[in-house]
Amino acid sequence: MAFLFGSDADIDIKLEDEETRKWVDVRNEEGGTDRLPLYYDGDTVSGKVTINLKSGKKLEHKGIRVTFVGQIEMFYDRGNSHNFISLVRQLAPPGTLEQTAVFDFDFHNAEKPHETYTGTNVKLRYFLRVAIVKRLSETSKERNIAVHTLSSYPDVNNSLKMEVGIEDSLHIEFEYNKAKYHLRDVVIGKIYFLLVRIKIKHMELSIIKRETSGSGSNVYNENDTLAKYEIMDGAPVRGESIPIRLYMGAYDLTTTMRDICRKFSVRFFLNLVLIDEEDRRYFKQQEILLWRKADPKAKRAAKKTV
C-alpha cells in the first residue's frame, strides 16, 4: 500500500516473499498490536521500492537511498534514539525522475542480534527507511519488521530449590524443575510444608517481568505481573506437599534480555505469595531465564545458545 508524502510522489516498500513469510503480532505503544513480517538474525532483507510520480510531474532529487535500521528508543528521551544497526544502500544518484521508477534493494545476511521489544519505557525495533533527498527537504517512508532471536536447548539447566521461613512459625521448601524455560514451556514443581503455625488461607504463583532502562541516576524499574496461578485456597498442614504446573504458552511472554546495548534489560521472576488470615503477605522471588525455541516448521536452525 502506498502512502502520500508531499505533492511529488508516493513511496511503496515491498518485501521479498512477504506473501509466504510468517507474520507475527508485535505490541505497539498504544497497547495494541501490529502485524509484521518475521525475520531472524542472518536473514536477508530484500525487496523493491517503487516511486510513483504524480501525473505529469517530474521529481528532481539529490539522491534516493534505503537504510536498514535497528533502533532503541527511550520513551522519556525520544530525541536521543540509539541506532545499533544502520546499513545504507544507494538506490539512485542525484538526478530527475520523469516517470514511476522501481528499485531493488538487498541487505544480504543482515545482522539482527536483538529481539523486537516494546515495553513500558523502551522500544527496540527494526525498520526500513526510504529517503528521497531534495534541495531543501527530504521525503521518506518507513516500514517495520519483526525479529525473533532463537536459541538452542541450554546445556546446563539445574532445578531450583528455595526456602521460605519465619522463625518458629513457618518453614516451606519449594522446588522448580529447572531455571531456564522456553516460551511455551511448563513450570513444574512442588511445595513442601515443613512447619505451619500460622493460618495460611491462600497461595499463588505469578510470573513477573522487570524492565530496567536508563543509566546512572536516571534508572527506571518497571514490574509487570504477566501471569497468576492459584496454588491452593485453604489452610495447609505440616507434611503436606502441593504440586505446581504452570503453562507458560498461555501468556504473552518475551525472551530474557540482558543489558542490551547498555540501554535496558528485561528479566523474569517466579514469585511465590502466601497470604494468611490477617491478610499479611509472605513472598519469595526467583529469577528464571526465558528463551525462544526454534519453530519446528522453520527451515533455519537456531544459531545462538543460552
Side-chain angles (χ1 to χ4, degrees):
M1 182 171 61
F3 290 84
L4 177 64
F5 288 83
S7 58
D8 296 318
D10 295 331
I11 302 176
D12 180 63
I13 306 172
K14 184 174 179 60
L15 294 166
E16 190 75 25
D17 70 13
E18 65 177 78
E19 292 85 1
T20 57
R21 182 174 290 274
K22 182 178 180 180
W23 290 58
V24 294
D25 291 322
V26 175
R27 180 184 170 191
N28 58 36
E29 293 180 49
E30 291 72 35
T33 58
D34 297 323
R35 195 80 173 161
L36 300 177
L38 176 63
Y39 289 79
Y40 300 98
D41 184 24
D43 279 355
T44 294
V45 180
S46 60
K48 296 181 183 296
V49 172
T50 302
I51 311 295
N52 292 298
L53 299 184
K54 298 303 178 183
S55 179
K57 293 201 172 187
K58 296 180 180 181
L59 176 61
E60 294 185 6
H61 62 87
K62 299 296 183 180
I64 303 172
R65 64 176 181 265
V66 58
T67 308
F68 178 64
V69 182
Q71 183 181 89
I72 297 173
E73 181 182 27
M74 303 295 184
F75 296 155
Y76 51 83
D77 190 18
R78 292 183 182 271
N80 292 309
S81 58
H82 171 71
N83 292 347
F84 57 91
I85 292 175
S86 183
L87 306 175
V88 181
R89 299 288 183 269
Q90 199 72 22
L91 300 180
T96 301
L97 292 182
E98 298 185 353
Q99 60 185 4
T100 294
V102 179
F103 304 97
D104 293 324
F105 66 88
D106 186 297
F107 295 96
H108 187 66
N109 295 342
E111 181 185 7
K112 306 172 211 65
H114 311 301
E115 180 144 334
T116 302
Y117 175 76
T118 303
T120 304
N121 289 317
V122 62
K123 175 171 67 177
L124 188 154
R125 69 179 182 125
Y126 295 85
F127 59 95
L128 292 159
R129 185 175 189 271
V130 175
I132 303 173
V133 182
K134 292 179 281 188
R135 189 168 65 89
L136 298 176
S137 64
E138 184 178 279
T139 298
S140 65
K141 180 184 178 180
E142 295 180 359
R143 180 164 182 184
N144 291 318
I145 66 170
V147 170
H148 283 173
T149 56
L150 302 179
S151 301
S152 59
Y153 192 85
D155 294 331
V156 178
N157 201 355
N158 297 325
S159 62
L160 296 175
K161 294 182 180 180
M162 288 168 293
E163 295 184 1
V164 176
I166 302 173
E167 188 174 358
D168 297 327
S169 300
L170 179 69
H171 186 188
I172 297 173
E173 290 183 354
F174 55 99
E175 180 179 357
Y176 304 120
N177 60 328
K178 51 190 175 183
K180 302 174 183 179
Y181 297 88
H182 63 76
L183 298 184
R184 304 195 66 82
D185 218 332
V186 182
V187 178
I188 299 174
K190 282 188 177 182
I191 298 177
Y192 304 93
F193 292 88
L194 305 179
L195 176 64
V196 185
R197 289 180 179 169
I198 57 177
K199 295 182 178 180
I200 302 296
K201 69 174 184 179
H202 182 75
M203 183 171 9
E204 66 184 24
L205 180 68
S206 58
I207 300 175
I208 294 177
K209 181 183 78 172
R210 181 171 301 159
E211 176 189 291
T212 302
S213 59
S215 61
S217 60
N218 297 317
V219 174
Y220 298 84
N221 288 298
E222 297 289 344
N223 290 334
D224 290 325
T225 300
L226 304 181
K228 280 188 178 182
Y229 170 75
E230 184 179 278
I231 297 173
M232 54 158 252
D233 189 8
V237 296
R238 179 179 177 180
E240 188 171 359
S241 173
I242 298 178
I244 298 172
R245 188 174 291 266
L246 175 61
Y247 293 88
M248 306 183 79
Y251 305 102
D252 183 21
L253 302 174
T254 61
T255 58
T256 295
M257 307 177 78
R258 291 177 171 168
D259 197 21
I260 304 300
C261 298
R262 297 185 178 181
K263 297 293 184 181
F264 75 98
S265 296
V266 181
R267 300 159 64 196
F268 295 89
F269 298 83
L270 291 176
N271 188 44
L272 181 66
V273 181
L274 293 83
I275 304 172
D276 68 15
E277 290 190 341
E278 297 180 7
D279 288 330
R280 290 176 297 194
R281 299 170 69 88
Y282 312 90
F283 66 91
K284 186 77 170 183
Q285 285 189 1
Q286 175 61 46
E287 185 172 4
I288 57 174
L289 186 144
L290 300 187
W291 56 283
R292 187 178 297 281
K293 188 177 181 180
D295 187 338
K297 296 180 181 179
K299 295 181 179 179
R300 65 190 305 277
K303 290 186 176 181
K304 296 186 178 181
T305 57
V306 174

